Amino acid sequence: MKYPKLIPTKGILKKIALVEIEQEGLDDTGEPLETITVTEKCNYQERTEKVYSNGKVDTVVRAKCYFDGDLCSSVNAISGGYVTILGERRRIKAGTKAYNPDGTVNYTCLELE
């Protein structure tokens, strides 16, 4: 059965993102695993908010990048790294792979800060 794409590739994926995914764990020599770099088109959504604490106001930028399908099939859980988009390098706060009932990945979402 073919499942509908929740992130259609035509018309909605316009921004090019350079994604650096930090893998968890160590290799055979005890070194951290190599960072995986992927360049893909995405749908980018950005939100700013004011945070009030200790008598001062900070502006926080939060963003999400939506990618069609599995962004990096060799990594099961994306939990860290960086995304460079619109000239800004942002840290990956969380990653989501939305699965279809047959086990394929419908879309990948990266939450940035």
Side-chain angles (χ1 to χ4, degrees):
M1 179 177 183
K2 187 174 180 180
Y3 294 97
K5 291 187 175 203
L6 299 177
I7 308 294
T9 53
K10 290 187 178 180
I12 199 168
L13 303 179
K14 297 196 181 260
K15 304 294 182 203
I16 296 175
L18 172 67
V19 182
E20 302 166 52
I21 299 171
E22 296 170 349
Q23 298 185 70
E24 295 180 12
L26 303 173
D27 64 9
D28 296 338
T29 62
E31 297 291 320
L33 292 174
E34 196 172 307
T35 300
I36 298 172
T37 304
V38 179
T39 301
E40 284 288 331
K41 286 188 172 183
C42 70
N43 179 291
Y44 180 71
Q45 303 295 320
E46 187 174 80
R47 180 181 95 188
T48 58
E49 60 186 53
K50 292 194 182 284
V51 178
Y52 301 93
S53 64
N54 297 331
K56 66 178 190 173
V57 180
D58 290 325
T59 301
V60 178
V61 177
R62 301 192 195 283
K64 290 185 181 182
C65 292
Y66 294 91
F67 299 89
D68 179 41
D70 196 350
L71 180 63
C72 185
S73 60
S74 63
V75 176
N76 290 332
I78 300 172
S79 60
Y82 293 91
V83 174
T84 304
I85 189 164
L86 300 176
E88 294 286 326
R89 188 170 191 239
R90 301 194 185 280
R91 180 105 178 113
I92 296 174
K93 179 181 173 184
T96 303
K97 289 187 180 187
Y99 288 92
N100 292 320
D102 66 354
T104 60
V105 178
N106 195 302
Y107 69 90
T108 305
C109 175
L110 300 179
E111 296 179 35
L112 312 175
E113 55 182 5

